[in-house]
Amino acid sequence: MARGTMQQAIEELLLSVDRPGDFCAHGRLLAPMPRLDVKGAGALSFPVPAAQVQALIAVAERAPYGKGPATLVDRTVRDCLQIDAARIRLAGAGWRDTFGRVLTSAADGLGCPADRLDARLYKLLIYEPGGFFVSHRDTEKADGMIATLSISLPVAGAGGEIVVRHRERERTIDMTAAEPSELAFAAFYADCEHEVRPVTEGHRLSLVFNLCLRAGDTDTPRTAPDHTQQVDRLAKRLAAWRQDGIEKLAWVLEHEYTEAGLSFDVLKNRDAALARLLVAAAGRADCALHAAILHLEEWGAASYSGEFGEWGWGESDGDMQMEEVEDYRQWLDGWVGPDGSRPPFGEIGLRPEERLPHGALDDAEPDEQHVEEATGNAGATVERTYRRAALVLWPASRTLPVVAAGGIDAAVAWVADELGRGGADPDERIRTLTAQLIDIWPAGRDDFDDSGAKGRERMLRLLCETRDEEGAARFLRDVIVAAYDGSENDALAAVLDMLGPPGAAYFLLDMIGAYLRRRPAAMLDLLWRLDEAYRGAADSAWEVVLQETVRAALEVLPAALPPEPEEDVPRRASRRPTRFSETAVYHLFALAWRLELPDAAAAAAGAVAAEPRVVAPERALPAVLAKLHAEEGAAGSAAFARLWRHAADALLARSAEPPPPPGDWTIAANAGCRCEHCDRLRDFCKDPKARTARFPLRTDLRAHLHQIIDGQELDIEHVTERRGRPFTLVCTKTRASHKRRRAEYAKDVSCMQGLIESAPGGEQAADCASDLAAVRAAVTASETA
């Protein structure tokens, strides 16, 4: 894996962090409680009741503090009571395990091996209401002491948080423990400044332990980890990132974490130390830092690792080795930020040179391994899958292109998420991001590719939320006109409302020319939405825009409906026209009448009548006419009459008379090839009396006749009689075609009844009178059939 200077420098810096842990550690757990006896107060119950708290106060003394060599009592500095360890006895069957869990967690958080620490009980501290301890550092109270461990016992109370500081960092720890078996604990190095905030309600009871290194231990550090120099060097290196060609870096973590449980708070040992280092350096260098799950899939030829035995090579997928990686895929997902946020980045690809440290997965065991056995000339292949957590860095200014490389939908989702996070002048920042999004938006793709559909809709809403009219106009021009599919209509209508009539006019006219043929339903749905929104509005400019747009649609319609292909033109060379849905036809002509465009509507109706492939006259048009009949004035228009006659002519041509019953058992067919078996099948079909034929044939010949019968949808049922050799294909003629025709006729009659109810009115009634009479006669004939 080729690595540049920057990768090498960052890798060396991070590998130099050889000490895990932090300046403090804290947590809480539900566990068996100790038997705690205090001389003079007796055994405590949990949570400690008020009477026992008072008993403890009665035997306690005022807690002092150290000032230089002196030990002083001053309630303006430290206001709490204490009971010495000599008067306390801790016991109980489960306490050893409970305390062991606390000590291990504290030691891990501090970066100290638990087996090198002794925890020595020092005091029981009692904070009354208002009790506190100002900021201070602990003195070394025992040989080898390196840290303090404070465990809060269950008692009613609030406040009393411990605030721990180390250099420029600060952590506030809630020490409340109210449940009967709940313990809250905090551990921090002795060189850390810390304070106890005032108890605001009830009491706080804390067992305090000195954490000491065992005698002879000179290896374990005695102060809080300090990575200041590494942070400074790393921040400088990251700040110069823009001068390097690498886009991002992913540092593979040592421990395993699940996607659901991954967060900066749960990182362990050295992983946690590296995360703290990177958080500090990334913040100073204006870099984005996230944790993510790294996925690696590898494919390659398989070889057997076992020995050849009685039953062949190996016994399982684990016996297979990959000779060489022939192909791979590597990506990141499951993102989480240092603050616990989960940005919607989706999958982002990762190049080999972007993964650190070098060789991190070379000796790793795969999470999954699958073997595809050899087939034909292809040998066996192995697929391996690895999943590891990683810390991922890139310059913050490059976040948008980094995320967009994984998919434009995810990039838009991130920008929307950023708007929701607020900040100083969020609208202006989002406008900048949306402008960058338009710059990098993928070019329009195939009509049937829905890539970016969600992103387009969400982007339109973003532009509305930020009232970015300039960005909206540019997005419509550069993206929507090239990639529109109708899924954006709701958001698109809102954007056009923001732009107003002048801005909408040019866009809508461009869209009519580009999409009326390819996506008529979507385009007409958009116009319908706009008409519904602005019908009756005081702003007449919208009516003018819609009138011109619908006029353009009506005038473009004849050119949008292709003629029947010539006979010598191959089928694949003539593109199949897009069928107009029932709703699309209704929208088009209803808008024409609402916007008073009778002449253009009449011409469009003639175009529809000339192209039955686009609008089915027997089914779609009767339903459309029924809806249009309810539009005021529509039934008396020339366009309505032309559509009505077209539907009536089509239905009468097919169903003016009831279909006669079959006179014999002849089946019209030109079945099959010129083989002897197809000849017999054709003879069977032509025979007006024969109903059944038997074909004793071997399997492949029976399958051949199956294919001919089913492919041509012949009215023949065929079953295999499995007696004797060869089996016999038994073919029986049916009346399936006649039944289908009767069902079709019934639907045609229903549609003609609908035409009678929606017959043209006004001046058009006379022109359609003969057709109406023929339709009525056809319906009457159906009643006696």
Side-chain angles (χ1 to χ4, degrees), residues 63-65 74-80 82 125 127 132-133:
Y65 71 97
D74 185 345
R75 295 183 65 176
T76 65
V77 176
R78 186 184 192 188
D79 186 6
C80 76
Q82 68 179 23
L125 299 182
Y127 286 89
F132 68 95
F133 194 175

Side-chain angles (χ1 to χ4, degrees), residues 104-329:
T104 298
S105 180
D108 289 345
L110 296 174
C112 297
D115 58 0
R116 298 184 184 181
L117 286 180
D118 282 329
R120 304 172 187 174
L121 180 61
Y122 175 58
K123 305 283 186 184
L124 170 62
L125 299 182
I126 306 163
Y127 286 89
E128 298 177 277
F132 68 95
F133 194 175
V134 299
S135 186
H136 64 285
R137 287 186 175 86
D138 287 341
T139 56
E140 186 173 325
K141 306 178 185 69
D143 292 341
M145 177 182 168
I146 63 169
T148 297
L149 170 63
S150 177
I151 301 178
S152 282
L153 300 172
V155 67
E161 299 89 351
I162 296 180
V163 182
V164 186
R165 302 180 182 88
H166 179 65
R167 295 188 178 274
E168 298 177 356
R169 299 173 62 202
E170 177 180 293
R171 189 165 299 166
T172 300
I173 305 168
D174 178 11
M175 298 298 289
T176 302
E179 293 294 323
S181 58
E182 181 181 21
L183 296 174
F185 65 89
F188 42 88
Y189 279 95
D191 64 335
C192 292
E193 186 178 293
H194 59 283
E195 67 174 290
V196 178
R197 288 180 174 170
V199 172
T200 58
E201 182 181 331
H203 296 82
R204 179 77 65 242
L205 302 179
S206 299
L207 290 172
V208 179
F209 296 82
N210 297 324
L211 299 183
C212 304
L213 291 177
R214 292 181 177 171
D217 184 351
T218 58
D219 297 327
T220 303
R222 295 171 177 262
T223 57
D226 184 5
H227 301 302
T228 304
Q229 291 186 352
Q230 288 105 321
V231 170
D232 291 341
R233 293 167 58 196
L234 183 57
K236 291 178 182 177
R237 174 59 64 178
L238 294 177
W241 194 329
R242 295 167 187 79
Q243 302 173 11
D244 203 292
I246 203 74
E247 187 174 63
K248 58 186 171 294
L249 289 175
W251 184 273
V252 182
L253 297 175
E254 294 179 356
H255 294 274
E256 295 188 8
Y257 308 91
T258 64
E259 179 176 343
L262 180 62
S263 73
F264 281 73
D265 291 338
V266 302
L267 299 183
K268 306 169 186 174
N269 300 329
R270 189 164 177 273
D271 292 343
L274 288 173
R276 286 190 292 273
L277 172 65
L278 286 169
V279 167
R284 288 166 54 178
D286 196 23
C287 285
L289 173 67
H290 298 84
I293 299 296
L294 185 154
H295 302 261
L296 173 62
E297 293 179 351
E298 297 177 335
W299 299 271
S303 63
Y304 293 96
S305 61
E307 297 182 355
F308 191 84
E310 180 180 359
W311 304 105
W313 286 101
E315 296 182 354
S316 67
D317 290 357
D319 295 317
M320 305 290 283
Q321 298 295 323
M322 188 180 295
E323 293 180 354
E324 183 179 359
V325 176
E326 298 174 356
D327 200 3
Y328 73 94
R329 178 174 175 244

Side-chain angles (χ1 to χ4, degrees), residues 315-511:
E315 296 182 354
S316 67
D317 290 357
D319 295 317
M320 305 290 283
Q321 298 295 323
M322 188 180 295
E323 293 180 354
E324 183 179 359
V325 176
E326 298 174 356
D327 200 3
Y328 73 94
R329 178 174 175 244
Q330 188 172 219
W331 74 96
L332 299 155
D333 64 12
W335 301 89
V336 59
D339 60 354
S341 62
R342 293 191 173 271
F345 291 159
E347 292 186 6
I348 297 179
L350 186 71
R351 301 198 304 267
E353 63 272 19
E354 294 174 334
R355 189 181 76 218
L356 296 176
H358 181 60
L361 299 179
D362 288 356
D363 298 322
E365 288 293 324
D367 292 275
E368 297 177 20
Q369 176 167 303
H370 302 288
V371 176
E372 184 174 341
E373 295 298 335
T375 56
N377 294 326
T381 58
V382 176
E383 177 184 342
R384 289 177 176 170
T385 301
Y386 301 84
R387 284 184 293 272
R388 296 291 186 274
L391 297 174
V392 189
L393 273 168
W394 59 71
S397 62
R398 296 285 300 162
T399 296
L400 189 60
V402 168
V403 178
I408 198 68
D409 286 357
V412 180
W414 173 71
V415 175
D417 189 62
E418 287 295 290
L419 177 61
R421 294 168 72 90
D425 198 4
D427 286 357
E428 183 59 35
R429 179 168 181 267
I430 298 304
R431 287 192 188 101
T432 301
L433 291 174
T434 52
Q436 295 174 11
L437 264 175
I438 299 171
D439 290 338
I440 63 177
W441 203 282
R445 300 179 182 177
D446 184 84
D447 288 348
F448 303 102
D449 186 345
D450 63 356
S451 299
K454 291 181 180 179
R456 293 193 301 274
E457 191 269 344
R458 184 170 285 182
M459 180 72 160
L460 289 166
R461 296 196 182 282
L462 269 177
L463 294 165
C464 274
E465 287 184 51
T466 56
R467 308 302 298 174
D468 185 0
E469 295 184 19
E470 181 180 349
R474 184 174 163 224
F475 187 67
L476 296 184
R477 181 182 68 246
D478 295 353
V479 177
I480 297 297
V481 171
Y484 172 77
D485 69 3
S487 63
E488 318 92 332
N489 277 357
D490 188 50
L492 187 53
V495 167
L496 293 175
D497 176 70
M498 177 180 71
L499 293 178
Y506 293 105
F507 168 75
L508 290 172
L509 291 173
D510 286 345
M511 292 289 284

Side-chain angles (χ1 to χ4, degrees), residues 36-42 44 51-62 81-84 87-88 124 126:
L36 199 162
D37 288 291
V38 177
K39 188 175 181 180
L44 300 186
Q52 289 190 337
V53 173
Q54 293 304 315
L56 292 173
I57 293 174
V59 298
E61 61 182 351
R62 185 61 54 186
L81 300 165
Q82 68 179 23
I83 298 175
D84 191 74
R87 303 181 63 184
I88 301 169
L124 170 62
I126 306 163

